[in-house]
Amino acid sequence: MSGTLVLCGAPIGDVRDASPRLGEILARADIVAAEDTRRLRRLTAALGVTISGRVVSCFDANEASRADFLLAELRAGATVALITDAGMPAVSDPGFRVVAAAAMAGVPVTVVAGPSAVTVALAVSGLPTDRWVFEGFLPRKSGERRSRLRDLAGERRTLVILEAPHRLSATLDDLTSAFGAQRTAVLCRELTKTWEEIVRDDLAGLAGWAHGRDVKGEITLVVAGAPNPAPPAAALVAGTPAAAAFAVMLAAEVAGHEAAGMSRKEALAAVTAKHGVPRGLVYDAVVAAKSGGDRSRSHRGGNAPGPS
């Protein structure tokens, strides 16, 4: 009878985010495969856990060969706990080959749920989270990175990118060139750690923030999706059926964001950025929807008034 592969979500910073179940699994697993065995020992010491099984390393350079060993142990009935330095194994971390081998062999795979920098950054970004795409780490070489970003420039879903501190400035410059200076983005650094920092700006502002700065720690970038094409002119002419339908859609999108947990200000900003229309137009659509009236107005250029 085969054993079970348990993917263990590790804290991304604050050890108090570890679940009691994580400690239980690490304590009783027959084998604990860790990206860094020293960091594993520090984690278990902080949790007050004693590992009773065998500890082996499983990192990028040895994962292919380690997968064969772990699969043999799983087939023999062992419980194998797979843990990386932070977050969820196989998500921009070692583990994919092990999981794929176990799944192909019909070995049960389960998970101890835990924090992920991807979902944490999305949650705090204030950007739309109903549809998003994870790009992971961009190519290291500048030419390949720029080519990838050109391909992504039209992506309308919120985009999540991981980046190393020493490449951050160059990546933000390339993002600005490919996506445009005014694309909204959020930079999340050292999430849940002592020096956590969240910087909200457009891409040009973030690029300026990063230039000449000695940035350290783990970086997660959340970038707004490409705005929808400009609405037909008729949708911006007050009193027309097209304008009324467009206003109803705007109000519904704001309400959807608020229902998902955004503040009114954040929801207005998200819908404004998505459609590339004045904030006041979106605000009027919300007011009209609540009052049952029609307070939409035509857009003749410039910034329409609205709430600050």
Side-chain angles (χ1 to χ4, degrees):
M1 182 176 178
S2 66
T4 301
L5 176 63
V6 185
L7 308 181
C8 297
I12 60 176
D14 194 324
V15 71
R16 292 172 297 178
D17 291 333
S19 69
R21 185 163 166 249
L22 174 62
E24 294 170 6
I25 291 293
L26 293 176
R28 65 178 177 82
D30 299 304
I31 298 174
V32 179
E35 182 178 8
D36 185 327
T37 58
R38 293 167 300 181
R39 293 187 68 164
L40 170 66
R41 298 294 188 188
R42 289 197 292 269
L43 173 62
T44 54
L47 296 177
V49 169
T50 300
I51 297 176
S52 60
R54 180 181 175 186
V55 175
V56 300
S57 64
C58 184
F59 51 92
D60 286 331
N62 77 346
E63 185 183 352
S65 60
R66 189 65 83 193
D68 294 334
F69 163 74
L70 294 175
L71 183 58
E73 294 294 323
L74 286 163
R75 281 174 165 158
T79 295
V80 175
L82 180 64
I83 187 167
T84 54
D85 293 345
M88 187 59 64
V91 180
S92 283
D93 266 336
F96 167 76
R97 296 179 182 88
V98 178
V99 175
M104 186 173 294
V107 172
V109 180
T110 187
V111 64
V112 175
S116 166
V118 177
T119 53
V120 171
L122 274 167
V124 304
S125 72
L127 295 174
T129 57
D130 52 341
R131 298 177 67 240
W132 56 274
V133 60
F134 178 50
E135 190 61 26
F137 285 96
L138 294 171
R140 291 180 172 84
K141 295 182 178 179
S142 59
E144 295 176 4
R145 183 170 60 245
R146 290 166 185 163
S147 177
R148 175 77 60 81
L149 290 175
R150 284 194 294 271
D151 291 340
L152 291 170
E155 174 60 65
R156 293 186 185 170
R157 292 170 292 183
T158 298
L159 183 67
V160 184
I161 297 170
L162 304 180
E163 193 50 280
H166 63 279
R167 290 195 299 269
L168 177 62
S169 186
T171 292
L172 286 169
D173 284 343
D174 291 342
L175 277 164
T176 301
S177 297
F179 290 11
Q182 296 182 337
R183 184 80 71 89
T184 303
V186 180
L187 184 151
C188 303
R189 186 180 75 87
E190 294 287 86
L191 286 166
T192 78
K193 299 178 183 177
T194 302
W195 304 110
E196 177 181 292
E197 187 171 19
I198 298 172
V199 186
R200 308 173 192 273
D201 210 327
D202 55 27
L203 285 171
L206 289 181
W209 176 89
H211 283 173
R213 188 182 295 264
D214 183 20
V215 179
K216 299 183 185 297
E218 304 292 333
I219 305 294
T220 307
L221 294 169
V222 187
V223 184
N228 286 338
L236 301 178
V237 178
T240 65
F246 187 56
V248 168
M249 182 189 71
L250 294 175
E253 290 187 9
V254 171
H257 288 315
E258 289 184 302
M262 282 190 183
S263 68
R264 171 63 59 81
K265 183 176 181 180
E266 290 169 337
L268 288 169
V271 175
T272 296
K274 176 180 177 181
H275 293 283
V277 296
R279 181 186 177 92
L281 189 70
V282 182
Y283 176 72
D284 280 355
V286 172
V287 172
K290 289 187 177 297
S291 65
D294 180 9
R295 292 188 52 186
S296 63
R297 58 190 171 216
S298 61
H299 171 48
R300 298 182 177 87
N303 293 322
S308 57

